[in-house]
Amino acid sequence: MHAALVRTRRSFGSELAGVDDAFSRRPGTGIGARREALEREIRAEVGRARDQTYGEIAGPAPDPGDESLADLIVDLDTAEVTRDLGELRELDTALGRIAEGTYGQCVDCGRDIGLERLGALPTAVRCVDCQSVHEKTFAQPYRPRL
């Protein structure tokens, strides 16, 4: 459990009952709810992709424009599933940190990650300061791609 949340619970006791739901695995709450929603989205998208053939997307007599549009739709669908799978992996990693008791601790400096940051990004592994340094250190120069 997040260290700041533990300290807050000690200070305020039962007034904060259920606050840790935002960080729990329980279905319908916090990380668990987002994980379930992602699983449903991925299954639906993959099922739709299986059911819809390239010919159905492009139409019965595709011209180059129809083919290009069909390619774009297929690529966007693939990118969406890939993004969702990445988020699902991040959520699983966060659930692992919860189980280990390290959730909410920065992997770089060991300090607490703020509750506001965890509320906005439950999969955060770094505090704001360390994340800023990480992004500056590992930033890639922009290179246009086709």
Side-chain angles (χ1 to χ4, degrees), residues 130-146:
C130 290
Q131 183 64 36
S132 178
V133 170
H134 180 79
E135 288 174 4
K136 289 176 184 172
T137 304
F138 296 101
Q140 298 293 321
Y142 175 73
R143 286 181 242 161
R145 296 181 287 167
L146 293 177

Side-chain angles (χ1 to χ4, degrees), residues 27-133:
T29 60
I31 293 173
R34 179 63 185 145
R35 189 179 189 294
E36 288 175 356
L38 273 174
E39 284 180 336
R40 282 191 304 273
E41 288 175 28
I42 291 168
R43 283 190 181 104
E45 187 63 38
V46 170
R48 189 174 60 92
R50 267 192 224 133
D51 295 341
Q52 196 172 36
T53 66
Y54 184 84
E56 290 173 342
I57 296 171
D63 62 24
D66 292 337
E67 289 176 2
S68 295
L69 183 58
D71 286 339
L72 177 64
I73 290 170
V74 169
D75 290 345
L76 288 173
D77 288 345
T78 301
E80 184 178 344
V81 169
T82 301
R83 182 199 65 222
D84 288 348
L85 285 171
E87 185 179 350
L88 190 63
R89 286 185 195 106
E90 289 175 354
L91 291 170
D92 286 340
T93 302
L95 289 171
R97 289 192 311 271
I98 290 171
E100 294 169 358
T102 60
Y103 182 79
Q105 293 176 350
C106 178
V107 296
D108 291 342
C109 70
R111 291 181 299 177
D112 287 346
I113 300 171
L115 286 175
E116 287 181 12
R117 177 164 170 74
L118 289 172
L121 183 65
T123 59
V125 295
R126 291 180 184 83
C127 64
V128 173
D129 294 336
C130 290
Q131 183 64 36
S132 178
V133 170

